């Protein structure tokens, strides 16, 4: 049997000291009184983003100044694991400065054997909470398309710029394919018409880690084979939950085998 102090300590750990009516994916507790003296625990919900991003979301509400300083390092945190995948004739580097006001290049992937150059704009925008935040997160990711477009215009107008500064091993003319893209983590949107494609960060990194076939990587990402498929990776059920006289009906996403799969495996 747990003591009162142990229960309070556990709740403090999982709520970061305060309880907010945010969403069940982030905080599974619902305050039932103004003083937060009575909490309801929501049924199982899968995390809607990476665990470290959920920690940042809690931090953004508890200490906004500290959260702001942490978000400045997010782009570099995305880039470091990708650069670490450099091997053989595939070189991964960044960031690379361009002439202002053109944005910097976040990441370059050079495959000297396949003669492919990939130029990436990286975006890490935390999962939205509610419609208003979704609009803000969408805008953050959509900005990446205008940035990669500006980078492409600059490079096409200054074809020797990257080579002369040692950013790439060859002049652009030696590459058989130059590919521009946006790579987003945790929140993704549909590419605007005529814009560069957008890829999920985790799947892009996984494909880089798998092997040296850069042409195959691009085909896999462009064919959208990395997107989860209903019936294969997940299923959706419209469910109703009721407490007293209050009922909520919503679409619930489950792993493909269904909500009880984990128990059947056990």
């Amino acid at each position: 049997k747990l003591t009162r102090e142990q229960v309070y300590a556990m709740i403090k750990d999982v709520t970061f000291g305060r309880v907010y009516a945010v969403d069940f994916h982030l905080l599974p507790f619902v305050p039932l009184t103004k003083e937060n003296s009575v909490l309801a625990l929501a049924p199982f919900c899968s995390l809607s983003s990476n665990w470290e991003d959920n920690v940042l979301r809690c931090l953004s509400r508890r200490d906004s100044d500290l959260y702001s300083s942490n978000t400045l390092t997010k782009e570099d945190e995305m880039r470091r694991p990708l650069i670490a995948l450099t091997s053989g004739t595939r070189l991964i580097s960044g960031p690379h400065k361009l002439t202002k006001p053109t944005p910097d290049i976040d990441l370059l992937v050079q495959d000297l054997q396949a003669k492919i150059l990939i130029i990436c704009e990286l975006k890490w925008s935390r999962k939205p909470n509610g419609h208003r935040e979704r609009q803000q997160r969408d805008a953050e990711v959509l900005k990446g398309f205008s940035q990669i477009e500006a980078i492409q215009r600059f490079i096409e107008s200054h074809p020797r710029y990257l080579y002369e500064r040692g950013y790439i091993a060859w002049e652009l003319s030696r590459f058989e394919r130059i590919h521009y893209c946006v790579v987003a983590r945790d929140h993704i949107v549909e590419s605007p018409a005529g814009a560069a494609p957008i890829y999920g960060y985790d799947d892009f990194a996984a494909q880089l880690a798998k092997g040296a076939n850069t042409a195959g990587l691009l085909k896999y990402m462009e064919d959208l084979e990395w997107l989860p498929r209903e019936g294969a990776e997940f299923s959706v059920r419209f469910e109703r939950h009721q407490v007293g006289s209050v009922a909520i009906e919503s679409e619930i996403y489950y792993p493909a085998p269904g909500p009880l799969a984990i128990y059947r495996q056990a």
Side-chain angles (χ1 to χ4, degrees):
K1 184 178 178 179
L2 297 176
T3 65
R4 183 186 183 93
E5 289 72 23
Q6 288 174 321
V7 172
Y8 282 168
M10 293 169 64
I11 292 177
K12 183 177 180 180
D13 280 346
V14 296
T15 62
F16 292 82
R18 297 184 65 184
V19 176
Y20 299 86
V22 184
D23 61 63
F24 293 157
H25 299 282
L26 178 60
L27 293 175
F29 293 97
V30 181
L32 300 182
T33 63
K34 291 182 179 180
E35 300 78 17
N36 293 338
S37 57
V38 180
L39 301 179
L41 178 61
F44 169 77
C45 285
S46 60
L47 291 178
S48 58
S49 59
N50 294 317
W51 66 266
E52 66 270 25
D53 196 46
N54 281 319
V55 171
L56 285 173
R57 290 181 67 179
C58 288
L59 181 61
S60 71
R61 293 170 172 84
R62 184 178 182 186
D63 190 331
S64 59
D65 291 338
L66 183 57
Y67 169 77
S68 297
S69 64
N70 271 274
T71 56
L72 297 176
T73 68
K74 292 172 70 175
E75 182 183 295
D76 194 48
E77 290 176 14
M78 290 180 68
R79 182 166 35 236
R80 284 199 305 269
L82 299 179
I83 292 176
L85 297 174
T86 294
S87 63
T89 59
R90 187 159 65 189
L91 313 176
I92 307 175
S93 61
H96 299 298
K97 290 188 176 298
L98 302 180
T99 302
K100 292 186 178 301
T102 308
D104 296 342
I105 296 175
D106 291 335
L107 193 80
L108 285 177
V109 180
Q110 305 176 66
D111 189 328
L112 303 184
Q113 182 174 0
K115 297 182 179 180
I116 295 174
L117 175 64
I118 306 175
I119 301 173
C120 306
E121 176 68 26
L122 303 180
K123 289 295 177 185
W124 190 358
S125 181
R126 68 174 173 82
K127 282 287 184 182
N129 172 40
H131 178 68
R132 181 176 297 179
E133 277 200 1
R134 178 172 294 279
Q135 290 180 317
Q136 294 172 348
R137 301 291 88 79
D138 285 354
E140 290 173 7
V141 179
L142 286 169
K143 183 180 177 182
F145 294 105
S146 60
Q147 290 174 314
I148 198 67
E149 182 181 352
I151 290 170
Q152 182 174 357
R153 287 198 304 268
F154 178 88
I155 290 175
E156 290 174 351
S157 300
H158 305 80
R160 292 183 55 83
Y161 188 93
L162 301 182
Y163 175 69
E164 289 176 348
R165 283 154 184 78
Y167 296 165
I168 55 178
W170 299 335
E171 293 193 30
L172 290 178
S173 58
R174 290 191 59 183
F175 288 98
E176 294 181 358
R177 183 177 183 186
I178 301 175
H179 185 78
Y180 296 85
C181 62
V182 176
V183 178
R185 183 174 184 179
D186 281 347
H187 185 65
I188 199 165
V189 300
E190 185 178 354
S191 297
I198 185 169
Y199 305 139
Y201 173 84
D202 291 333
D203 297 279
F204 185 75
Q207 290 301 309
L208 279 176
K210 271 187 176 180
N213 186 356
T214 304
L217 176 154
L218 289 179
K219 185 179 187 306
Y220 178 86
M221 301 304 293
E222 288 182 303
D223 289 347
L224 304 182
E225 295 183 27
W226 51 278
L227 289 175
R229 296 163 296 169
E230 185 174 357
E233 284 81 22
F234 71 94
S235 60
V236 183
R237 300 185 182 187
F238 198 82
E239 297 186 354
R240 176 186 178 95
H241 298 279
Q242 185 165 344
V243 177
S245 60
V246 179
I248 297 177
E249 292 186 351
S250 60
E251 291 180 324
I252 307 297
Y253 288 74
Y254 290 110
L260 299 180
I262 186 172
Y263 301 107
R264 287 197 294 267
Q265 291 174 1

